[in-house]
Amino acid sequence: LEVRYDRVFRRLSVLAENRAREGHLALPPGEPLDLRIFLDGSVVEIYANGRACVTERIYRPRPGNIDISLIAAGGRPRLESLEMWEMQPISPDRLTT
């Protein structure tokens, strides 16, 4: 799963399993990119700056922990904060190990 933002084309993209979903997001100069990413089972929702949302289905090859990487290209990006919470499953048959 990759989440990308292109300031030139004003596009928020989610790439998963050879598919891409895109949403329009124009950020004025100096406005930071604020992402809120929710992963619930096979659904990932990405909300950006309270103005754009992209949703995609993903299927992990194995249950369990998820590896997360943050990669930025060009400019002088910096991560200001990162918060993560674990959601409880809706039912016992949704448990992952």
Side-chain angles (χ1 to χ4, degrees), residues 25-43:
L25 177 63
L27 293 180
E31 181 179 351
L33 178 62
D34 177 18
L35 296 177
R36 294 175 187 261
I37 302 172
F38 297 88
L39 177 61
D40 184 7
S42 64
V43 176

Side-chain angles (χ1 to χ4, degrees), residues 1 17 39 41-42 58-68 94-97:
L1 176 73
E17 301 167 359
L39 177 61
S42 64
I58 60 169
Y59 298 97
R60 293 183 281 165
R62 66 191 187 313
N65 295 336
I66 299 170
D67 295 326
I68 297 174
R94 297 289 196 141
L95 292 174
T96 59
T97 56

